[in-house]
Amino acid sequence: MVKQSHTRHSQIKEKMTGNPIDDCWRCDPDWEANRKVLADCGIGFGRNAIGGRDGEFYVVMTEEDDARNPTQGMLRHAVVQKEPLWIIFDHDMSITLQEELLMNSYKTIDGRGFNVEISNGPCVTIQGVTNVIIHGIYIHDCIPAGNAVVIDAPDHYQLRGISDGDGISVFGARDIWIDHCTMSQCRDGLIDVVSGSTGVTVSNNYMFRHNEVMLMGHSDDYVQDKNMQVTIAFNYFGEGLVQRIPRCRHGYFHIVNNVYTGWEMYAIGGSANPTINSQGNVFIASDSSNTKEVTKRETPPEDEEWKSWNWRSDGDMLMNGAQFTTSGNGTADSYAKASSMVARPASLLNNIIPSAGVLNCQIGLLC
């Protein structure tokens, strides 16, 4: 018994990565029996998102979808229920949705254990709800849809206009956590957080081959987004990304311990005086002399108001000629509302980032 305990302790010690989310649950070979532990592993501004932790498990058993009358076993049937649910899958699935997947509150979509993708149709909309966790899903090739009646609760429907074709749209929602997803090639953004949303964490995701990656804030005139707080942490921004990683308006954004590999226009952009707290990231510029600058302020050429915006680079590693133009006040007090966790040293990211995106979790083994 002592020997088994020592062996397990050694496994756990070897598995520790310095990534506080993964170190919270991935060291347990019985993760499948203890799935809901994940809900207590959140960090950053979305750390209060509990998803379906306090509800029953719901097993998705079919790839089929019906936007108006989903039946038991469909993903859509699960996400629109009123009660908290922890949603899992019973086999590998490639789901093409008829219309946007309108989430209800207190839901976890947990793809661990199987290869689950949502693709080649409209994708996920988290609108006007709270406490949603999306974990371990490959979301790609999302397209617009709409002008259709779509169920959003067991006894309620919406007439939806044309959607943008985002991978995940977070609209007027709070306490949202998107973790360990792989995302690429959607018609609009991979993740948009807009219209008064706040309390959001985007972590451990792998994003690649996409133009406008993440939009934070609805418009320059939408002042309700001044209270927005978003954490973007431990993500791997891979090949073929162009811009908006993220693009921010108003609000407070903690961009921490991510790896950026060769943006084609810029990495972090913004307008309307957002506060950008960039800490412990690795920015690896491409070889092109035209794409060394990390940042972009969306302002008229003659307007120097941006110089007062609080954008800082603290402990970032700037590689292959990458440059980060800072602005505003460098004091810590200026970034209090844009601080959500303790940044790890950027030099440690070699151990953290290889596990970004959907994990290959096999039941009975360390994930």
Side-chain angles (χ1 to χ4, degrees), residues 88 289 345:
I88 60 177
S289 60

Side-chain angles (χ1 to χ4, degrees), residues 120-139:
N120 299 300
C123 291
V124 181
T125 297
I126 304 170
Q127 181 172 346
V129 298
T130 185
N131 282 280
V132 172
I133 299 172
I134 300 179
H135 180 101
I137 309 294
Y138 180 20
I139 299 173

Side-chain angles (χ1 to χ4, degrees), residues 106-271:
Y106 294 96
K107 300 293 181 292
T108 300
I109 300 179
D110 178 1
R112 287 176 294 177
F114 296 102
N115 295 316
V116 179
E117 61 182 79
I118 298 173
S119 63
N120 299 300
C123 291
V124 181
T125 297
I126 304 170
Q127 181 172 346
V129 298
T130 185
N131 282 280
V132 172
I133 299 172
I134 300 179
H135 180 101
I137 309 294
Y138 180 20
I139 299 173
H140 63 96
D141 294 286
C142 301
I143 60 174
N147 285 338
V149 174
V150 182
I151 191 170
D152 64 353
D155 53 2
H156 192 267
Y157 302 83
Q158 291 188 37
L159 176 60
R160 302 292 292 180
I162 299 296
S163 62
D164 293 332
D166 295 327
I168 300 175
S169 175
V170 182
F171 187 105
R174 67 179 303 126
D175 298 326
I176 308 300
W177 182 21
I178 302 164
D179 186 55
H180 273 299
C181 291
T182 297
M183 307 183 72
S184 70
Q185 294 180 305
C186 294
R187 186 70 60 85
D188 193 35
L190 294 183
I191 298 174
D192 282 7
V193 180
V194 300
S195 299
S197 297
T198 193
V200 177
T201 293
V202 177
S203 59
N204 291 313
N205 301 289
Y206 171 41
M207 304 184 193
F208 66 100
R209 294 192 203 123
H210 192 81
N211 179 12
E212 298 176 335
V213 179
M214 288 186 288
L215 175 66
M216 305 283 147
H218 179 69
S219 69
D220 288 1
D221 297 329
Y222 196 86
V223 295
Q224 291 94 322
D225 283 331
K226 287 187 176 180
N227 295 318
M228 181 180 290
Q229 291 179 298
V230 179
T231 301
I232 298 171
F234 301 112
N235 300 285
Y236 187 87
F237 298 116
E239 67 278 12
L241 298 181
V242 180
Q243 59 180 317
R244 298 189 177 185
I245 325 172
R247 187 227 194 273
C248 306
R249 296 183 172 107
H250 306 292
Y252 302 90
F253 305 93
H254 198 187
I255 302 171
V256 53
N257 290 143
N258 304 282
V259 172
Y260 290 78
T261 60
W263 51 95
E264 295 179 16
M265 287 178 62
Y266 67 88
I268 299 170
S271 60

Side-chain angles (χ1 to χ4, degrees), residues 12-129:
I12 291 173
K13 188 173 182 181
E14 289 174 6
K15 195 68 177 177
M16 298 289 276
T17 64
N19 179 325
I21 299 170
D22 287 0
D23 290 345
C24 176
W25 69 270
R26 287 186 64 194
C27 306
D28 182 4
D30 298 323
W31 61 267
E32 199 269 340
N34 301 312
R35 285 179 179 270
K36 292 183 180 181
V37 168
L38 178 69
D40 298 318
C41 297
I43 62 169
F45 291 122
R47 62 185 173 273
N48 293 325
I50 62 171
R53 183 193 67 189
D54 298 335
E56 300 294 325
F57 285 101
Y58 184 113
V59 181
V60 177
M61 297 179 289
T62 177
E63 300 176 347
E64 295 181 6
D65 183 44
D66 187 320
R68 294 191 64 170
N69 298 296
T71 56
Q72 183 78 31
M74 292 182 182
L75 175 60
R76 191 181 301 273
H77 184 267
V79 303
V80 301
Q81 299 304 313
K82 292 181 178 179
E83 69 271 19
L85 290 173
W86 196 279
I87 301 162
I88 60 177
F89 301 81
D90 74 349
H91 63 277
D92 294 349
M93 293 191 190
S94 179
I95 298 172
T96 298
L97 298 165
Q98 294 180 349
E99 299 291 341
E100 298 167 88
L101 187 72
L102 301 180
M103 302 282 300
N104 211 335
S105 295
Y106 294 96
K107 300 293 181 292
T108 300
I109 300 179
D110 178 1
R112 287 176 294 177
F114 296 102
N115 295 316
V116 179
E117 61 182 79
I118 298 173
S119 63
N120 299 300
C123 291
V124 181
T125 297
I126 304 170
Q127 181 172 346
V129 298

